Amino acid sequence: MSYYLSATFWVPLLYTAVMMSAPLLIASIGELFAEKSGVLNLGIEGIMITGASVGFIVSFLTKSNFLGVLGGATIGFILGLIFAFLVTTLELDQILTGIGVWIAGIGLGTLFIHEVNGVTTGSRIQTMGAFEIPLLSRLPLLGDILFSQNLLVYFSFILVPITAFIFYKTSFGLRIRAVGENPEAADSRGINVHRTRQWCVIIGGILAGIAGAYLPLAYVGSYSHMMTAGRGFMAIAVVIFANWNPSKTILGALIFSTSIAFQIRLRAVGVDIAAPLLHMIPYIVTLVALVIITRRAGAPSALTKPFIKKKGS
Amino acid sequence: MVDLDNFRKEITPPLIGVIIAFFVIGIFLVFSGTNPLSAYLRMFTGSFGSIYNMAETLAVATPLLLAGLGIAIALKTGYVNLGVEGQLLIGAIAAAVAGLSFSVFKPIHLTILIIFCFAAGAAWSLIPGILREKFGSNELITGLLLNFVALYLVNYLVEGPLMQEGALFPQTARIHATAMLPRLLPRGRLHMGFIIAIIAVFLTYIILRKSVFGYELQMIGENPDAALRAGIDVSRKKLFSIIIAGGLAGLAGMGLVLGVHRRLMAGISPNYGYLSIAVALLGRLKAIGIFIASILFAAMLVGGDTMSRAEGVSFTIVYVLQGLIIIFLLLSDKLINR
């Protein structure tokens, strides 16, 4: 029993938890940008799958994980741009369009792998190595858990304060919140509602693409069909869990990733628990968390509502 | 009787959506060195080329049709039942449990199974509804999360308590013969679930077009406040539509176990629930439309398999095609019917 209280059990577990929190956190921050501006992007799961695929292909062909991440970001940008155009300029239903983007994304990811010569679902790449931060990585326990991670983990950490700064200290953030809360009022004050929402959805797409690329590039080392396994939807849950507050997304992402890590770790030490039941944990944890914490007070008032500019105004 | 103008308004967007999506994928096929015409011909012969292929297409259409009708009934009120995949899987679990655990006179066994699986799907669909009422949780998200819970519950059961002894794959034993839905043709997997789905088409048509309940659902969807002022018990009617949606999804899962595979296994539903949302949209939330759309989507899945093997195209291109159909459908609807 004492083993389960010792550092030898917990340090690898928390290391994995932090490592697994990065893609969730990056995707959640992306989704938060879109939702703050009033757009629910259900297509995020499809964008992540495609980001994983393109990221993997680019990394495999160029042997550069940096270019792989850039590839994921690029396809995320393109899909985000398309989704933004559909739900702002063309005023399509956000939820139904999101379902379309997601179903297409399920196919697109594996299709790309199939179409590029030399790449298969069996191909492998070297995953991103740990970057030990000088001095900090020497700290006992924390050094191993927090400061010996790959670069994208640090990126996800930095993303949170940057996002909070953008939302609450810049005029761009003010515009985002204005179009998310009351687009008509924002419009009458001369804010371009569609343009603001487009930027936010595109930022969300880029981050979802990076988050998708994280899985093959920083974690698994290969691509498999539907490898995101619902992480895009988890990201949407994290945003709700965080009550649309950037700093709380860290907590939400960590709850998810810790339960994933717990499951991985228990299996690694040979605990005889049925794997599917462990797989269920993060979903049940989120469900319970949503039930306990739900205060819809934080939701942008205009979320999912298309902005239709009145003629002649 | 027939309102031609309205008919044209309803049928044009899905037609245009399908045509443009096939065209776009066709261009992609050209660039990847495949002749799109021969690829689509393979898809067509693979799905309608013989009695056997047609029967297989209808077998795949059955769950899409049943779940899609449910999606439409709930969506009439504005409720997007994203939890449909989980409800379908819970129906499949219920079918396996009641099909394995006892055996009685066949008509009685099947009647019990139909009621039980409908109830199981309906119960699962009520969880997001209740959580919304009690705690204000977003039903889109709770429904989605419950899909994963149901998915891993299936995996747990077929690897654990319900696993067939000595089986190489995670699957249950075959259900009792009294629980098997009869097959309709000597060859192939088309089963009585298709007849149930056809009955559901007629019932849905009557509910949506001829009943007060259907009219009330329509009103709730168009203007909930006005519906409330008109004395309609909005939350009760909405809940009722969700129960029907979940129940039909449960029957869709039941058909997979009792009619197609005769057992529960991991991966029994390749996204049929999610695809049924697309089917309901393509069918314009109308019973007959959903019937046609379910056959079209099933044909793409069944024929896509043939196409993929004959032309060396990735099967997943079918998902891209189906996603594009939804997007172009929404788009043409917007541009034509604004």
Side-chain angles (χ1 to χ4, degrees):
Chain A
M1 195 64 219
S2 64
Y3 172 71
Y4 295 108
L5 299 172
S6 69
T8 30
F9 179 74
W10 282 99
V11 168
L13 190 154
L14 292 176
Y15 172 83
T16 311
V18 170
M19 186 176 75
M20 297 303 300
S21 76
L24 263 177
L25 194 51
I26 296 169
S28 304
I29 292 290
E31 182 69 22
L32 184 59
F33 265 95
E35 290 194 20
K36 270 283 183 197
S37 76
V39 179
L40 176 70
N41 184 358
L42 269 186
I44 184 175
E45 176 80 14
I47 299 179
M48 276 183 78
I49 296 173
T50 319
S53 162
V54 172
F56 177 74
I57 292 171
V58 173
S59 168
F60 183 84
L61 295 178
T62 64
K63 306 277 176 260
S64 157
N65 283 330
F66 175 75
L67 290 178
V69 172
L70 221 55
T74 308
I75 192 71
F77 168 82
I78 294 169
L79 294 177
L81 183 74
I82 293 171
F83 184 73
F85 180 66
L86 293 172
V87 299
T88 60
T89 314
L90 295 169
E91 297 160 6
L92 298 189
D93 184 290
Q94 295 175 6
I95 294 169
L96 303 180
T97 310
I99 291 172
V101 170
W102 161 37
I103 293 178
I106 291 177
L108 214 50
T110 307
L111 183 64
F112 284 157
I113 298 280
H114 189 89
E115 288 296 324
V116 176
N117 282 333
V119 187
T120 69
T121 44
S123 308
R124 292 202 63 84
I125 51 163
Q126 184 76 38
T127 53
M128 295 169 77
F131 179 85
E132 295 186 356
I133 295 181
L135 297 177
L136 286 176
S137 63
R138 301 276 183 81
L139 287 173
L141 302 180
L142 278 185
D144 285 334
I145 296 169
L146 288 178
F147 302 112
S148 308
Q149 299 274 2
N150 66 65
L151 284 172
L152 279 177
V153 172
Y154 307 131
F155 171 69
S156 76
F157 291 165
I158 300 167
L159 207 50
V160 175
I162 292 178
T163 304
F165 180 81
I166 291 175
F167 282 171
Y168 303 109
K169 303 285 180 203
T170 67
S171 66
F172 178 53
L174 194 67
R175 287 202 297 276
I176 293 173
R177 287 183 291 136
V179 302
E181 290 297 337
N182 192 338
E184 285 76 20
D187 181 59
S188 68
R189 275 188 284 143
I191 297 173
N192 189 332
V193 175
H194 283 167
R195 183 64 47 81
T196 310
R197 287 185 168 183
Q198 283 157 3
W199 275 116
C200 286
V201 173
I202 289 168
I203 292 170
I206 293 171
L207 291 176
I210 295 174
Y214 185 96
L215 296 169
L217 265 46
Y219 181 52
V220 187
S222 63
Y223 173 88
S224 58
H225 184 53
M226 294 184 78
M227 74 183 302
T228 47
R231 282 193 175 81
F233 300 126
M234 280 190 203
I236 296 174
V238 166
V239 171
I240 297 173
F241 176 92
N243 206 22
W244 291 269
N245 181 331
S247 53
K248 286 186 191 156
T249 52
I250 294 187
L251 189 66
L254 272 175
I255 287 180
F256 259 97
S257 61
T258 307
S259 45
I260 297 175
F262 204 68
Q263 170 223 125
I264 295 170
R265 191 72 197 131
L266 279 181
R267 282 165 80 185
V269 298
V271 173
D272 191 25
I273 290 184
L277 290 183
L278 291 174
H279 279 290
M280 238 185 252
I281 293 173
Y283 300 97
I284 294 180
V285 167
T286 313
L287 208 58
V288 172
L290 283 183
V291 169
I292 296 171
I293 303 185
T294 304
R295 302 176 307 273
R296 288 194 47 91
S301 311
L303 188 59
T304 76
K305 295 190 183 71
F307 172 69
I308 298 154
K309 200 167 160 72
K310 304 268 184 310
K311 293 270 151 35
S313 66
Chain B
M1 183 68 206
V2 178
D3 184 346
L4 253 185
D5 225 35
N6 196 39
F7 180 72
R8 203 175 296 132
K9 212 173 133 183
E10 290 296 347
I11 200 120
T12 317
L15 263 181
I16 293 182
V18 169
I19 291 170
I20 298 181
F22 269 93
F23 185 73
V24 170
I25 292 294
I27 292 174
F28 177 86
L29 286 172
V30 169
F31 277 105
S32 80
T34 309
N35 181 347
L37 292 179
S38 85
Y40 289 153
L41 191 66
R42 291 279 187 186
M43 191 184 253
F44 183 77
T45 53
S47 49
F48 295 112
S50 69
I51 297 282
Y52 171 76
N53 293 0
M54 264 189 249
E56 187 62 20
T57 299
L58 293 182
V60 171
T62 302
L64 297 176
L65 176 52
L66 278 166
L69 292 169
I71 293 287
I73 291 173
L75 197 54
K76 277 280 172 191
T77 72
Y79 187 93
V80 185
N81 182 22
L82 274 186
V84 57
E85 187 75 30
Q87 293 145 22
L88 187 150
L89 291 173
I90 293 296
I93 291 174
V97 169
L100 284 166
S101 54
F102 66 96
S103 177
V104 288
F105 181 50
K106 187 157 187 156
I108 297 177
H109 203 169
L110 287 181
T111 311
I112 294 173
L113 275 160
I114 289 171
I115 295 169
F116 185 51
C117 296
F118 187 95
W124 198 253
S125 74
L126 276 180
I127 302 174
I130 291 170
L131 291 180
R132 153 142 236 147
E133 292 298 312
K134 295 265 180 210
F135 304 100
S137 316
N138 182 316
E139 75 274 8
L140 289 172
I141 303 303
T142 49
L144 266 176
L145 291 170
L146 284 166
N147 290 344
F148 291 95
V149 175
L151 178 72
Y152 290 118
L153 194 59
V154 169
N155 290 357
Y156 168 69
L157 291 173
V158 298
E159 287 175 24
L162 292 183
M163 186 167 179
Q164 182 182 24
E165 261 178 71
L168 295 172
F169 302 103
Q171 61 179 31
T172 67
R174 272 170 84 88
I175 51 169
H176 288 294
T178 52
M180 290 179 185
L181 287 169
R183 298 255 165 92
L184 301 181
L185 293 171
R187 280 183 70 222
R189 304 187 296 177
L190 182 61
H191 56 87
M192 208 185 78
F194 183 66
I195 308 285
I196 297 176
I198 296 296
I199 295 170
V201 170
F202 280 107
L203 289 178
T204 307
Y205 177 80
I206 291 166
I207 288 175
L208 291 181
R209 296 296 295 272
K210 307 282 175 205
S211 78
V212 178
F213 176 58
Y215 178 70
E216 288 170 337
L217 292 183
Q218 180 85 33
M219 260 186 92
I220 293 170
E222 279 165 11
N223 191 340
D225 295 331
L228 208 57
R229 279 198 299 277
I232 298 173
D233 189 343
V234 171
S235 64
R236 195 191 185 89
K237 303 281 177 189
K238 226 174 153 169
L239 212 58
F240 202 59
S241 72
I242 294 168
I243 288 176
I244 297 176
L248 287 173
L251 292 185
M254 178 192 80
L256 293 174
V257 171
L258 305 186
V260 177
H261 299 290
R262 267 80 207 272
R263 55 164 48 101
L264 181 64
M265 57 213 222
I268 195 164
S269 165
N271 297 324
Y272 285 149
Y274 296 126
L275 290 177
S276 75
I277 301 174
V279 164
L281 291 177
L282 188 63
R284 310 293 286 163
L285 309 188
K286 292 188 163 44
I288 313 294
I290 296 166
F291 174 71
I292 298 168
S294 71
I295 292 177
L296 180 69
F297 263 53
M300 284 190 266
L301 292 171
V302 174
D305 206 36
T306 316
M307 177 187 77
S308 142
R309 270 181 283 127
E311 307 276 341
V313 190
S314 169
F315 171 75
T316 60
I317 201 167
V318 171
Y319 293 124
V320 185
L321 184 56
Q322 292 177 336
L324 287 182
I325 286 178
I326 294 309
I327 293 168
F328 287 122
L329 158 73
L330 295 168
L331 200 60
S332 56
D333 187 31
K334 192 75 181 186
L335 297 178
I336 292 167
N337 296 339
R338 62 163 68 230

